[in-house]
Amino acid sequence: MDWCENNYDISYYVAEFFNSLSSIAMILVGIVGVYLHASFEKRFLLTFGSIAIVGLGSIAFHGTLLFPLQMLDEVPMVYSILALAYCCIENRSYRRYGVWFPVSIALYGLLTTVVLVGAGPHDLMLAFVVFQSSFAFMVLVVMSHIVKIYADIQDVKIRHMWKTTGTIALTAYVFWNIDYRLCDAMQNLPFGLGNPQLHAFWHLGASVGSYLVTLLVCYNRAENLGQSPMMEWKWGLVPHVVVNVKHSKSS
């Protein structure tokens, strides 16, 4: 897979410099998420942590454009969205589904991994279709549950945060599509303008959006547990959830 950024244009050692550099944002928001919510349930630590792992894989892939390292980018994305899906669906104060549910999620991820790796560089189209379809399906599952969560929100500030999160995610997705589908136009802008590197901006938007949606699902879970959550700001820049009752570290 190759993106719109010119290869080895900035550095002899890095294939896509800006796409690699922007991936650092995922690592940062993932680490910050784990740090600021260290006392929360393991499901949220896993979800925040998975964002950082996606960032590491993204750097490896965009820095080399090698297929094995592309898998280090795409496979963690699948598991990251699966972790978020679990948080969205099992968000009540009681367990909605039995042990079969997390097992099914794990099997979904395992099956996707086997097909992606099995396709290898010899069938890139199969790998592309399997990744896109499996990831997109889970995104739709997550979005369907986010709609339900949003419908029950009474706090105006939290509703506003959800709207902001949706706007950031949608804008980032538009950037991804423009970079992917209109590359020739991006490479030949009028007035001598250079490539705006929209895939790099997708990385930034996806990083912030992933952090915020995980944060807000975490807030919703704390509300359902009766823990009176509050949204506070660390360093005057990063929102995070605090609760009045100590979390149980169950999964």
Side-chain angles (χ1 to χ4, degrees):
M1 192 69 184
D2 197 359
W3 300 95
C4 195
E5 181 178 356
N6 291 331
N7 299 339
Y8 300 101
D9 197 30
I10 302 297
S11 171
Y12 175 81
Y13 301 99
V14 182
E16 295 178 344
F17 181 82
F18 292 108
N19 289 346
S20 300
L21 183 65
S22 58
S23 299
I24 296 175
M26 303 180 205
I27 301 174
L28 293 177
V29 300
I31 292 175
V32 168
V34 171
Y35 170 71
L36 293 179
H37 303 88
S39 63
F40 281 57
E41 294 170 291
K42 286 179 280 188
R43 66 180 72 181
F44 294 109
L45 302 185
L46 177 63
T47 306
F48 280 122
S50 68
I51 301 172
I53 295 174
V54 170
L56 290 171
S58 182
I59 291 174
F61 166 48
H62 288 291
T64 64
L65 296 180
L66 297 175
F67 180 80
L69 299 184
Q70 180 177 333
M71 293 299 96
L72 287 182
D73 177 25
E74 294 179 350
V75 171
M77 286 178 65
V78 173
Y79 287 98
S80 183
I81 194 68
L82 288 173
L84 180 60
Y86 179 83
C87 293
C88 287
I89 297 170
E90 284 288 3
N91 66 329
R92 303 297 185 185
S93 59
Y94 54 89
R95 191 164 190 170
R96 300 177 66 185
Y97 303 106
V99 69
W100 66 267
F101 180 58
V103 170
S104 298
I105 285 181
L107 289 175
Y108 183 98
L110 180 61
L111 178 61
T112 303
T113 302
V114 169
V115 175
L116 285 175
V117 175
H122 306 295
D123 198 340
L124 293 177
M125 181 54 67
L126 175 61
F128 179 79
V129 170
V130 169
F131 168 69
Q132 292 289 332
S133 58
S134 61
F135 185 78
F137 173 73
M138 291 310 304
V139 169
L140 292 175
V141 169
V142 168
M143 289 177 62
S144 68
H145 284 82
I146 285 176
V147 169
K148 297 176 184 177
I149 291 173
Y150 181 82
D152 294 332
I153 297 174
Q154 303 298 322
D155 191 311
V156 175
K157 291 182 179 179
I158 299 300
R159 291 180 71 90
H160 178 71
M161 285 192 70
W162 272 114
K163 291 178 181 178
T164 301
T165 301
T167 301
I168 292 172
L170 180 59
T171 302
Y173 182 63
V174 169
F175 285 167
W176 184 94
N177 275 279
I178 293 174
D179 180 88
Y180 179 66
R181 303 180 189 282
L182 301 175
C183 181
D184 288 343
M186 294 300 100
Q187 293 281 15
N188 297 280
L189 293 174
F191 310 114
L193 295 175
N195 184 346
Q197 308 298 345
L198 293 183
H199 193 84
F201 283 101
W202 147 254
H203 284 166
L204 298 179
S207 301
V208 175
S210 297
Y211 178 86
L212 289 177
V213 72
T214 305
L215 177 78
L216 289 163
V217 172
C218 182
Y219 183 95
N220 172 255
R221 167 71 171 172
E223 273 193 323
N224 291 338
L225 292 175
Q227 295 173 333
S228 303
M230 295 180 293
M231 198 69 72
E232 295 188 353
W233 293 79
K234 189 73 172 180
W235 312 301
L237 181 65
V238 182
H240 65 108
V241 179
V242 295
V243 294
N244 292 332
V245 179
K246 188 176 181 179
H247 265 70
S248 167
K249 288 193 175 183
S250 62
S251 62

